[in-house]
Amino acid sequence: MTLSSLRLKKHADRRLKAGHLWLYSNEIDTDATPLKGLEPGAQVVVEAANGKAMGVAYVNPHSLICARLVSRDPKQGLDRSLLVHRLNQALALRQRLFAAPFYRLVHGEGDLLPGLVIDRFGDTLVVQLSTAGMQAVLPELLDALDKVLAPTTVVLRNDTSGRRQEGLEQGVEVVKGEVADPVLLEENGVRFAAPVLDGQKTGWFYDHRANRAWLNQLVAGKRVLDLFSYVGGWGVQAAAHGASEVLCVDASAAALERVAENAALNGLHEQVAVGEGDAFEALAALKAEGEQFDVVILDPPAFIKKRKDIPAGERAYARLNREAMRLLGRDGLLLSASCSMHLAPERLMEVVRGAVRHQDRHGQVLFQGHQGADHPVHPAIPETSYLKALGVRVFRD
């Protein structure tokens, strides 16, 4: 296969040499190699300003990130062979980490497969393609998955906002087998049913597994409030690890039905209650009713999706943490998380510090958590590190 060239401007190869996989449109020498003539998803040989080949990337001339490197071998494009190789590399890591087949199998750039996310639920794979380049090799990807894992079911959850930015259609499709939705998984010894067809993201959030495991050690005999509970990943696990009472709050009635089902799946229906509504309104109502909890879990959706959202997003995180702390007893535990990549870890620490002082209490950070090892961080791409979690003891003298 003969590929077109994409020539970089002088010095624009520094980030690639440092390990990064992205190229921006303002780094391309468009006089030598016009972007406009390239089809979205096409593969090209990336060249330094002196003409030296640096590898193969796929392109989208309509995107700010106009190219993503898939191979540093200029003779090796993204084909079935490379996909099989990368999938085997990804699988080997997960098999070292986990005894059971429930994990994120592919984490985009972290697994050198930009634009691709795959979550595994046993023999069911839920796949998200967020770029034109990865969409272009979908048939090869499905063949590669058959060779590496031979799944019985493959679901395409192509309903992400990133696809709109790439000019791709959105939708959900079962491309192999049949889905018995929800599908079953096990995390930290607790069983769950995940709605892979119509739930959030792929139906489950494996990224908090280790953070939940930490909290599970400290909830025995405690009264727990789980805000933004989704299908009960935190709350049901807390009940399974001895919490005396758990209240899961979410704005989605469908998600709360799943909470009840997951509680029943583990014989915990008596310990787990649900409450539907906006988290901020729920916090105010619980405070007005004089309710108190030993543990409060805050795992909200991303309040900061773009850089311009940072000021408003930080204010929202601050308000949420302040109001949550008002429901803690004299010696309580707060688990405060953020999945906003644009919220720096030190800013979440500052949010928690400010909330503690606002309540005239003391805080001790006992735990600083991150995304799980099945969501590997690419050391040259800070954007692949997004999840933060703080375990904070909040107490009065």
Side-chain angles (χ1 to χ4, degrees):
M1 177 172 65
T2 302
L3 301 179
S4 300
S5 296
L6 193 67
R7 182 73 58 88
L8 301 179
K9 293 178 180 178
K10 190 176 182 179
H11 303 310
D13 58 354
R14 289 175 177 171
R15 282 187 311 104
L16 285 191
K17 287 181 176 178
H20 214 294
L21 304 180
W22 296 351
L23 293 172
Y24 293 92
S25 55
N26 61 3
E27 296 175 319
I28 308 304
D29 183 349
T30 52
D31 291 332
T33 54
L35 275 169
K36 291 182 179 178
L38 297 171
E39 286 292 322
Q43 297 186 44
V44 297
V45 175
V46 178
E47 298 177 350
N50 63 4
K52 180 182 178 182
M54 302 187 69
V56 176
Y58 62 68
V59 300
N60 189 337
H62 309 304
S63 175
L64 176 62
I65 302 174
C66 69
R68 300 174 197 249
L69 201 73
V70 293
S71 171
R72 293 190 180 271
D73 179 354
K75 297 179 181 179
Q76 176 63 66
L78 186 61
D79 58 13
R80 181 181 181 276
S81 173
L82 183 58
L83 286 163
V84 167
H85 174 63
R86 294 274 162 81
L87 288 171
N88 275 320
Q89 286 181 318
L91 179 61
L93 171 63
R94 278 68 182 182
Q95 289 178 332
R96 289 170 63 186
L97 295 170
F98 306 111
F102 306 112
Y103 42 68
R104 174 149 294 183
L105 174 64
V106 174
H107 185 57
E109 282 81 352
D111 285 296
L112 305 180
L113 287 168
L116 178 64
V117 163
I118 303 177
D119 278 352
R120 185 179 185 187
F121 303 88
D123 291 328
T124 295
L125 301 179
V126 182
V127 179
Q128 291 184 317
L129 310 171
S130 60
T131 58
M134 198 55 72
Q135 182 71 40
V137 296
L138 175 58
E140 293 86 349
L141 173 63
L142 295 177
D143 282 348
L145 287 171
D146 273 339
K147 180 172 178 59
V148 174
L149 281 170
T152 58
T153 305
V154 178
V155 179
L156 296 184
R157 279 297 301 265
N158 288 336
D159 51 357
T160 63
S161 59
R163 286 180 66 86
R164 284 199 302 269
Q165 298 167 9
E166 288 272 315
L168 299 171
E169 293 183 357
Q170 293 182 294
V172 178
E173 183 182 3
V174 180
V175 292
K176 182 180 181 183
E178 296 181 356
V179 177
D181 195 43
V183 299
L184 297 178
L185 69 117
E186 183 176 310
E187 182 180 290
N188 297 326
V190 185
R191 292 181 298 160
F192 290 91
V196 299
L197 292 180
D198 58 5
Q200 295 179 23
K201 303 293 185 179
T202 64
W204 184 255
F205 295 89
Y206 283 122
D207 51 3
H208 268 305
R209 181 197 323 248
N211 302 328
R212 293 182 184 126
W214 175 81
L215 185 65
N216 290 343
Q217 306 171 82
L218 302 173
V219 295
K222 305 299 184 183
R223 191 168 192 240
V224 176
L225 173 63
D226 178 11
L227 286 168
F228 308 97
S229 69
Y230 184 44
V231 298
W234 292 93
V236 173
Q237 284 194 42
H241 287 83
S244 60
E245 185 180 343
V246 177
L247 174 61
C248 291
V249 175
D250 199 276
S252 166
L256 293 176
E257 288 179 10
R258 299 293 190 196
V259 171
E261 292 171 7
N262 285 325
L265 190 61
N266 293 277
L268 301 167
H269 51 280
E270 292 187 0
Q271 289 101 306
V272 179
V274 300
E276 181 183 349
D278 172 83
F280 290 99
E281 293 176 0
L283 285 168
L286 289 166
K287 181 63 179 175
E289 294 164 7
E291 297 284 0
Q292 282 197 338
F293 297 86
D294 304 299
V295 179
V296 175
I297 301 159
L298 303 178
D299 185 16
F303 289 159
I304 306 173
K305 297 189 185 234
K306 299 179 180 177
R307 288 188 183 278
K308 66 180 181 63
D309 301 329
I310 290 176
E314 288 191 355
R315 288 194 295 271
Y317 282 115
R319 179 187 169 204
L320 179 65
N321 280 265
R322 286 197 306 267
E323 295 306 307
M325 285 183 191
R326 297 175 69 201
L327 292 178
L328 286 172
R330 293 187 62 86
D331 192 350
L333 183 64
L334 176 74
L335 191 293
S336 182
S338 169
C339 62
S340 295
M341 183 270 293
H342 292 294
L343 183 72
E346 60 269 21
R347 293 303 299 161
L348 180 59
M349 185 76 77
E350 179 63 16
V351 161
V352 168
R353 182 208 62 79
V356 169
R357 293 312 305 141
H358 186 272
Q359 300 301 324
D360 195 25
R361 299 196 194 188
H362 301 287
Q364 293 174 319
V365 177
L366 312 180
F367 173 77
Q368 298 184 57
H370 313 279
Q371 64 212 59
D374 53 345
H375 294 62
V377 174
H378 192 300
I381 308 178
E383 292 86 350
T384 59
S385 177
Y386 66 97
L387 194 70
K388 299 154 284 283
L390 295 178
V392 187
R393 181 191 185 200
V394 180
F395 63 102
R396 301 183 188 277
D397 275 338

